[in-house]
Amino acid sequence: MMQTHQRLWIILPCFIALLAVTITCAPAGSLVLLCLCCMALLWKIKIKNRSILSLLAQYVTVKAVGWLGSRQRNRLESDTRDIHRVQEETLLQRLQKHSDTVYGKHYAFRSIKDTETFQQQHPVTDYNHYEKFVERVAKGEQNVLISEKPLILAMTSGTSGSSRMLLSTKDTNTEFFLQGVTICLDAMRHTFPATDCLQKTLKLFYSPIFRQSEAGIPIGPNSSTPASSKHMLHLYTTPAPVYQERWKDLVVDVEVGMINSNLSLKADVRRALEKLMKPDPERAAELTAQFEEGFERIALRIWPQLHLVLTVDSGSNQIYGEMLRRQYCKDIPFYSPFYAATEGLIGVNLWPQQESRQYLLCPRSMFCEFIPEEDLDSERPKTLLMEQLQEGHNYELLVTNASGLFRYRIGDVVKVVGFHNQCPKVEFQYRRGQMLSVRGEKVSESLFLGALKKAVTQWPGARLIDYSCVESGILGSASGIAQPHYLVFVELKGVRNLSEEQRYKLDHCLQEDSDIYRSFRMKGSIGPMRVQLVREGTFQELKDRMMAFSSASSNNFKMQRVIRSREFADFLLQRAFS
């Protein structure tokens, strides 16, 4: 049977069209009568807890974004057929805009007329190159790196080192919306037609705490927040005033129509929320019954009209996405729409149903260059352009973005898995600072995780919750074995302990997947891997501890897969129970 929101999707455009015709052609009395009739029809089939204005607002917003998405997708298609021209246009626009800054004058941006000249006049850079310039911007100095005042000073996640402060501008946000959000929503609408309706979305936001620079510029993450998404909040189920993990408390709130008194909320937020609530003991009973059955497939059991989970489940988030698909959100399709970083939008996923997450690089978001994997440690590495890449090869990504970074090494290594017309499709492989290497073997995050997942399948009943690795040199004599080796801290569900034979499975799986690691193991240059199980909740505690020592927020936090801090390594060691 057709759902209410689907019927409304059909009726609303008819209502708007009739209204437009009547306004143009009919006398005032007829107009009033038609409006009353249409509103009565909408009222009769309205969705529970949705007002007519809410439905109309959502319809107009979705249609507008859909039109933009179709337009941007067509432009992207055209751009991918002439990638060199589009990339050079993007580069020259960036240089022209910032040519009168201190930085632009130093590197003579006005004199640069093509890609080759830019590569000759400007060096490959890392964060140390920009740190002093960013400090000047934070103190309020104008026209240093960019020609406008930044919206925020954006903090990176600090996955492969300390958190870094970058500039984020209006152009960065505009590009992300037009070249990222609208295009991915267009792909989602075509791939998952059930999402093309007036059903609301459940969006999980974090509300980060921003601090201020000396000049009063906000410092924090540049990811989506309730404040930055005010114009879109009416599309989400969560009420605007609030943006509980304990299901029993949530059920009681539903039953009595009030917010738990133990929850720390501002009085005005609590009042605003409780105005929107009313007691619903029937729904509370339904939820209790479902939760008490267990949590496998729970999302679809409590929300049977849930069509899609939209989340980033590649890179460091891969194991969390797999956990959701396997357990809580079983039988629901997932779509990982973006490849993005604090530096800005990098790529979009135009193939939502493909299991491996592949992203088409966005040719108008950033000017991109690439260092071949074999040259990563070179002092003056040669860089390639998009049209010079080869399928099947790995490259480190360099970007020139809209917010003051030029030929900047972001530290991501990607694999080219194909081309869409002339534009590369890539898969994220690893962060340069997150490689395991005790003898120069360089085991990447993706390689190690593949071995770990294979090993877990050989541990009966085990489910992987989280993990991190430590190179033995970090712990010194506390590591327990003379030869350099890896310590792997694993949080599992479903098992209480592992035998030595089971633990060795991980070492064996990595030897199968890495010839160079196997070579070092066979020679005895690298000792056997030590697998340590940690108690439940350890990685949540580690996350809290890491965030307390950095400027990152929950919005952009990524768990470090290779721990390089002795303090964090000791923390894991203390929580190991076997």
Side-chain angles (χ1 to χ4, degrees):
M1 183 179 290
M2 185 179 291
Q3 298 295 322
T4 301
H5 55 265
Q6 293 171 322
R7 296 200 299 270
L8 281 167
W9 195 245
I10 297 169
I11 290 170
L12 272 175
C14 299
F15 165 61
I16 293 170
L18 278 170
L19 189 58
V21 170
T22 306
I23 290 171
T24 306
C25 307
S30 299
L31 173 60
V32 172
L33 181 60
L34 178 65
C35 286
L36 289 172
C37 291
C38 290
M39 289 179 70
L41 178 61
L42 288 172
W43 180 261
K44 184 177 179 182
I45 64 169
K46 75 169 188 171
I47 298 175
K48 186 179 180 181
N49 298 325
R50 299 290 302 278
S51 68
I52 301 300
L53 287 178
S54 167
L55 293 167
L56 285 172
Q58 183 170 353
Y59 177 80
V60 171
T61 301
V62 170
K63 281 297 180 185
V65 173
W67 177 80
L68 277 173
S70 178
R71 192 164 177 252
Q72 289 293 322
R73 176 64 186 268
N74 290 337
R75 188 187 193 196
L76 177 62
E77 282 294 319
S78 175
D79 288 345
T80 60
R81 295 188 181 97
D82 194 356
I83 205 69
H84 183 83
R85 175 188 62 79
V86 172
Q87 276 278 275
E88 190 161 81
E89 281 180 6
T90 302
L91 170 64
L92 297 179
Q93 287 168 3
R94 301 277 186 269
L95 300 181
Q96 176 64 30
K97 181 166 185 176
H98 304 305
S99 60
D100 289 330
T101 62
V102 172
Y103 192 90
K105 289 175 181 177
H106 179 76
Y107 286 102
F109 281 179
R110 282 196 179 277
S111 69
I112 298 174
K113 305 300 181 186
D114 54 43
T115 301
E116 186 177 355
T117 305
F118 174 61
Q119 291 176 314
Q120 291 170 353
Q121 290 187 195
H122 196 288
V124 170
T125 63
D126 58 19
Y127 186 71
N128 293 334
H129 178 84
Y130 297 95
E131 193 165 14
K132 298 293 185 184
F133 293 104
V134 173
E135 287 175 3
R136 290 166 65 179
V137 174
K139 291 176 181 177
E141 190 173 341
Q142 301 290 317
N143 284 315
V144 178
L145 268 174
I146 56 176
S147 56
E148 74 260 54
K149 184 178 179 179
L151 294 177
I152 65 169
L153 299 171
M155 301 304 300
T156 66
S157 64
T159 308
S160 53
S162 58
S163 186
R164 297 166 178 175
M165 185 186 295
L166 303 176
L167 311 183
S168 184
T169 65
K170 183 179 178 181
D171 284 349
T172 308
N173 292 353
T174 300
E175 285 167 358
F176 194 93
F177 179 73
L178 290 178
Q179 299 182 49
V181 173
T182 65
I183 287 176
C184 288
L185 288 178
D186 183 73
M188 181 184 79
R189 182 169 56 89
H190 284 95
T191 308
F192 307 105
T195 63
D196 192 16
C197 64
L198 289 178
Q199 191 171 336
K200 280 197 171 188
T201 298
L202 170 63
K203 178 156 184 172
L204 303 180
F205 274 120
Y206 287 99
S207 293
I209 298 173
F210 285 89
R211 53 194 175 93
Q212 303 284 318
S213 75
E214 292 180 46
I217 304 170
I219 302 174
N222 67 346
S223 49
S224 178
T225 67
S228 67
S229 306
K230 286 181 180 177
H231 58 294
M232 301 291 280
L233 292 184
H234 66 280
L235 301 180
Y236 306 135
T237 58
T238 304
V242 63
Y243 264 90
Q244 304 167 336
E245 179 180 88
R246 296 169 298 189
W247 70 263
K248 291 182 180 178
D249 291 341
L250 286 170
V251 168
V252 172
D253 290 352
V254 171
E255 182 177 9
V256 301
M258 296 182 68
I259 302 294
N260 190 310
S261 60
N262 293 324
L263 187 62
S264 178
L265 286 177
K266 292 181 180 178
D268 58 333
V269 173
R270 182 180 292 275
R271 284 194 300 270
L273 283 172
E274 291 185 345
K275 279 184 181 179
L276 299 170
M277 298 176 68
K278 61 182 180 180
D280 194 346
E282 184 180 346
R283 177 58 172 162
E286 290 175 2
L287 292 172
T288 299
Q290 293 296 340
F291 290 139
E292 288 179 345
E293 283 185 20
F295 286 87
E296 183 172 337
R297 205 170 168 267
I298 187 65
L300 207 53
R301 287 194 279 121
I302 64 173
W303 298 310
Q305 297 303 316
L306 180 58
H307 301 300
L308 180 69
V309 175
L310 203 68
T311 185
V312 177
D313 60 358
S314 55
S316 294
N317 296 316
Q318 182 181 341
I319 62 171
Y320 311 131
E322 290 174 353
M323 187 193 309
L324 288 173
R325 283 194 296 273
R326 183 178 62 244
Q327 181 76 0
Y328 307 105
C329 298
K330 191 175 181 180
D331 299 332
I332 304 168
F334 275 58
Y335 177 27
S336 182
F338 312 119
Y339 173 22
T342 306
E343 293 81 1
L345 177 68
I346 300 169
V348 290
N349 180 1
L350 301 182
W351 307 274
Q353 290 182 307
Q354 192 157 311
E355 187 172 344
S356 61
R357 302 313 191 191
Q358 299 182 359
Y359 302 93
L360 182 71
L361 296 177
C362 297
R364 289 193 185 273
S365 178
M366 299 186 184
F367 173 74
C368 297
E369 298 174 76
F370 305 84
I371 300 175
E373 190 175 38
E374 58 270 21
D375 295 334
L376 293 184
D377 296 326
S378 171
E379 288 187 11
R380 302 188 67 179
K382 176 187 176 184
T383 64
L384 303 174
L385 304 179
M386 282 191 186
E387 67 272 18
Q388 297 172 318
L389 305 184
Q390 296 182 41
E391 185 173 343
H393 288 236
N394 288 357
Y395 304 90
E396 183 187 354
L397 185 60
L398 279 71
V399 300
T400 295
N401 70 0
S403 49
L405 297 175
F406 306 91
R407 306 196 75 197
Y408 178 69
R409 299 180 74 159
I410 67 172
D412 286 6
V413 174
V414 299
K415 181 178 182 178
V416 176
V417 293
F419 291 83
H420 182 72
N421 297 323
Q422 299 174 6
C423 193
K425 297 189 296 182
V426 302
E427 287 180 359
F428 175 85
Q429 297 297 298
Y430 59 90
R431 295 276 299 165
R432 283 190 67 205
Q434 290 284 280
M435 301 267 286
L436 284 164
S437 187
V438 295
R439 291 288 192 189
E441 69 279 10
K442 296 182 180 177
V443 173
S444 70
E445 177 182 339
S446 58
L447 182 61
F448 184 86
L449 178 57
L452 177 57
K453 289 196 296 185
K454 283 199 296 185
V456 171
T457 65
Q458 300 175 58
W459 299 338
R463 287 194 289 117
L464 178 64
I465 302 301
D466 223 328
Y467 80 96
S468 280
C469 304
V470 176
E471 295 169 354
S472 58
I474 299 292
L475 289 167
S477 59
S479 66
I481 302 175
Q483 306 102 315
H485 61 280
Y486 308 157
L487 289 90
V488 184
F489 295 92
V490 183
E491 186 174 331
L492 299 174
K493 274 193 176 181
V495 296
R496 292 186 176 181
N497 208 339
L498 296 174
S499 67
E500 286 302 316
E501 183 181 358
Q502 287 174 319
R503 293 167 196 256
Y504 181 72
K505 296 287 186 183
L506 177 53
D507 194 284
H508 179 72
C509 287
L510 186 57
Q511 289 187 50
E512 286 185 330
D513 292 350
S514 171
D515 292 339
I516 190 166
Y517 178 75
R518 182 172 67 253
S519 172
F520 279 117
R521 286 285 290 115
M522 295 296 289
K523 291 185 292 186
S525 301
I526 295 179
M529 202 181 297
R530 287 179 59 195
V531 177
Q532 301 273 14
L533 301 191
V534 296
R535 71 187 188 204
E536 183 179 352
T538 291
F539 280 91
Q540 181 59 51
E541 294 179 43
L542 179 61
K543 173 187 174 182
D544 294 340
R545 182 172 287 255
M546 286 179 166
M547 288 179 58
F549 282 87
S550 77
S551 301
S553 77
S554 292
N555 295 53
N556 60 357
F557 177 84
K558 298 182 183 72
M559 179 55 66
Q560 295 177 18
R561 299 306 176 196
V562 180
I563 304 292
R564 304 208 181 276
S565 160
R566 175 65 188 260
E567 180 176 354
F568 296 150
D570 283 340
F571 175 86
L572 288 172
L573 204 56
Q574 290 163 10
R575 279 154 180 77
F577 65 83
S578 68

